[in-house]
Amino acid sequence: MPPIKIPVFRKTANPWYQSKMVYALTITFMVIALLFGLVGISVTREIEQYHDYVWVPVVLVVLSTGVMISAIIRLIRRHYLK
């Protein structure tokens, strides 16, 4: 006969990367990257030699916006589902 195990009820631990502080830091860094990309776009428009490289800051703006929107959605879901 197998030994009887006593059930243990514990609070589930959230991983560190799903805390509100990490989401806030992610959003902050993405805002900084977004502003950096916007400044890069304005610089590439002003200087004719850099017109071919405007895609680099555009990619930075698009990716930082995507990550920022994803973090905001996760933060909102986490706040309203609890």
Side-chain angles (χ1 to χ4, degrees):
M1 185 174 195
I4 299 173
K5 291 185 177 181
I6 300 172
V8 178
F9 299 102
R10 293 185 184 156
K11 199 175 185 182
T12 58
N14 289 333
W16 63 270
Y17 54 85
Q18 289 184 350
S19 68
K20 291 181 183 180
M21 183 63 142
V22 173
Y23 282 130
L25 286 173
T26 302
I27 292 169
T28 303
F29 285 129
M30 289 302 110
V31 167
I32 292 169
L34 178 72
L35 294 175
F36 186 73
L38 292 175
V39 169
I41 290 172
S42 69
V43 168
T44 56
R45 285 187 170 189
E46 290 176 3
I47 302 172
E48 283 188 36
Q49 296 172 345
Y50 298 148
H51 282 282
D52 293 336
Y53 302 107
V54 73
W55 66 271
V56 176
V58 168
V59 168
L60 181 64
V61 166
V62 169
L63 291 177
S64 65
T65 303
V67 170
M68 190 171 38
I69 289 172
S70 173
I72 290 171
I73 289 172
R74 287 177 182 224
L75 196 58
I76 289 171
R77 282 185 184 166
R78 181 180 172 99
H79 180 70
Y80 285 114
L81 291 180
K82 281 193 168 184

